[in-house]
Amino acid sequence: MKQGREVISFDYAMKYILREKSNFDILEGFLYALLNEEVKILEILESENNKNDIDLKSNRVDLLTRDEQNRRMIIEIQYAAESDYLQRLLYETSRTIIDNLPDGARYEEVIKVISISILYFDIGTKCVYKGEMSFRDIKTKENLIPEKADKYIGIKSKKKNYKEIFPEYYLINTRLFNDNVETDLDDWIYMFKNSEVREGATAKSIDKAKERLDVLKMSKKERSKYNNFLDERRKSASQYHTAYTEGIEQGIKQGIKQGIEQGIKQGIEQGIEQNKKEFVKRGLDKKISIAMIAELAELSIEEVKAIIKNLS
């Protein structure tokens, strides 16, 4: 593998550089390699997680775009694992759909949303996963042919078939990439993972990424800002890892403590029950009446009878 030229990390680029219209072609090149179709970005849309003044310590970076097909694309970089990460993806795509449906509009105006996650933790064992809606016959597993459902996607809808309605999800596990480049998409993932563009890379617009995201071409002020960003990211990652480790250790200690307390409690309860059994058994051996045993043991007659039943 040939070494390449160092470029700005893609999360920093998404925060401060790729939002400029003059740099949309870089994003379009990546999307072309991922989706295998031409993409023309019209604008970057604002959302709570999609602002220029995002806190440097933020765990993730979101970029919400609109293309000429009126699709919304959520491009997200995520460094730290979250136990409910997949639910959050579902929530964000659903929220985007709702936010972009005008009040009183018909359902046929629902937009297509594509969620793209560039991950620096591992979901699964492969590098790139795609998730999409499909309808299958429960017996034959045959897919619903789009043409058979066309009349149910709205008479005014510009969608060609139902697959153009439901969200799509892409999970890119950068850490699982083996640096072996075989496709244009591999060239982009190589850049995400290594923060450099591979020498000889031919993917569409990746040469522009190398040119415009070149670290060496940053001014002293820009380089200082970038270094601060990297420092904050490392610090944030370290703090997260520390909190995560301490959380595990605290959980183990708490579990051990609870286990001991629970064990003692169970032991006492079992001991008491065993003593009751022994007392009732000895009383029966001495021909003491059930009523007398109950009175001496401070038990009800029903409790004594239940113990006798378990003795047999």
Side-chain angles (χ1 to χ4, degrees), residues 206-266:
I206 203 163
D207 57 330
K208 296 174 182 177
K210 181 168 65 174
E211 177 70 20
R212 298 178 197 171
L213 306 183
D214 194 340
V215 172
L216 298 178
K217 292 187 177 181
M218 300 178 81
S219 67
K220 183 178 292 186
K221 182 177 180 180
E222 290 170 336
R223 187 61 184 262
S224 177
K225 182 179 178 181
Y226 179 54
N227 287 335
N228 288 336
F229 171 86
L230 295 179
D231 288 341
E232 288 291 346
R233 193 178 71 185
R234 294 188 193 100
K235 189 184 301 181
S236 179
S238 177
Q239 290 171 346
Y240 175 85
H241 179 73
T242 299
Y244 178 76
T245 303
E246 290 177 349
I248 291 176
E249 292 175 352
Q250 184 176 353
I252 292 173
K253 290 178 181 178
Q254 186 67 23
I256 292 173
K257 180 181 178 182
Q258 291 177 351
I260 292 173
E261 291 174 350
Q262 185 67 21
I264 292 173
K265 182 179 178 182
Q266 289 178 351

Side-chain angles (χ1 to χ4, degrees), residues 56-67:
L56 289 177
K57 296 180 181 179
S58 177
N59 181 40
R60 75 181 198 267
V61 182
D62 286 337
L63 203 62
L64 178 62
T65 72
R66 181 174 73 89
D67 75 347

Side-chain angles (χ1 to χ4, degrees), residues 71-310:
R71 297 177 299 185
R72 304 299 187 271
M73 298 184 188
I74 305 171
I75 306 173
E76 172 174 309
I77 293 181
Q78 177 82 11
Y79 278 90
E82 295 178 0
S83 60
D84 57 354
Y85 185 72
L86 295 179
Q87 285 94 327
R88 181 162 67 74
L89 292 184
L90 175 61
Y91 172 83
E92 289 180 347
T93 54
S94 301
R95 186 72 188 181
T96 301
I97 292 171
I98 293 171
D99 287 346
N100 285 273
L101 186 65
D103 292 340
R106 295 170 59 88
Y107 292 128
E108 61 189 354
E109 295 184 43
V110 161
I111 60 167
K112 169 86 171 187
V113 177
I114 300 175
S115 172
I116 302 164
S117 298
I118 302 171
L119 306 174
Y120 290 84
F121 64 95
D122 302 336
I123 294 182
T125 59
K126 303 300 181 182
C127 185
V128 182
Y129 289 95
K130 178 181 179 180
E132 59 184 340
M133 174 67 78
S134 64
F135 295 92
R136 294 186 178 87
D137 180 81
I138 62 173
K139 292 182 179 179
T140 66
K141 308 303 179 186
E142 178 182 336
N143 282 314
L144 173 65
I145 300 173
E147 288 75 11
K148 298 295 183 181
D150 281 354
K151 61 183 178 180
Y152 300 105
I153 59 176
I155 57 176
K156 295 182 179 180
S157 175
K158 296 180 180 179
K159 305 293 189 299
K160 296 178 181 178
N161 57 60
Y162 76 85
K163 289 192 174 183
E164 294 185 15
I165 299 173
F166 295 100
E168 294 178 15
Y169 298 88
Y170 292 87
L171 304 175
I172 301 175
N173 293 303
T174 58
R175 299 196 313 176
L176 296 177
F177 184 59
N178 61 8
D179 289 346
N180 182 29
V181 176
E182 297 178 351
T183 67
D184 287 349
L185 180 58
D186 290 341
D187 262 331
W188 287 98
I189 300 175
Y190 181 93
M191 186 182 79
F192 300 154
K193 177 184 176 183
N194 300 295
S195 288
E196 67 176 26
V197 174
R198 183 183 65 90
E199 289 297 331
T202 58
K204 179 181 178 181
S205 297
I206 203 163
D207 57 330
K208 296 174 182 177
K210 181 168 65 174
E211 177 70 20
R212 298 178 197 171
L213 306 183
D214 194 340
V215 172
L216 298 178
K217 292 187 177 181
M218 300 178 81
S219 67
K220 183 178 292 186
K221 182 177 180 180
E222 290 170 336
R223 187 61 184 262
S224 177
K225 182 179 178 181
Y226 179 54
N227 287 335
N228 288 336
F229 171 86
L230 295 179
D231 288 341
E232 288 291 346
R233 193 178 71 185
R234 294 188 193 100
K235 189 184 301 181
S236 179
S238 177
Q239 290 171 346
Y240 175 85
H241 179 73
T242 299
Y244 178 76
T245 303
E246 290 177 349
I248 291 176
E249 292 175 352
Q250 184 176 353
I252 292 173
K253 290 178 181 178
Q254 186 67 23
I256 292 173
K257 180 181 178 182
Q258 291 177 351
I260 292 173
E261 291 174 350
Q262 185 67 21
I264 292 173
K265 182 179 178 182
Q266 289 178 351
I268 291 173
E269 291 174 350
Q270 290 173 1
I272 292 172
E273 291 300 317
Q274 187 61 34
N275 286 338
K276 289 178 182 178
K277 290 180 181 179
E278 292 293 333
F279 186 85
V280 171
K281 187 175 184 301
R282 286 198 301 269
L284 292 175
D285 291 341
K286 293 180 180 294
K287 308 301 181 182
I288 299 175
S289 69
I290 291 176
M292 183 57 71
I293 292 173
E295 184 179 344
L296 293 172
E298 297 183 348
L299 298 171
S300 68
I301 292 176
E302 288 72 20
E303 287 175 316
V304 173
K305 287 181 178 179
I307 292 173
I308 294 172
K309 184 177 181 180
N310 290 330

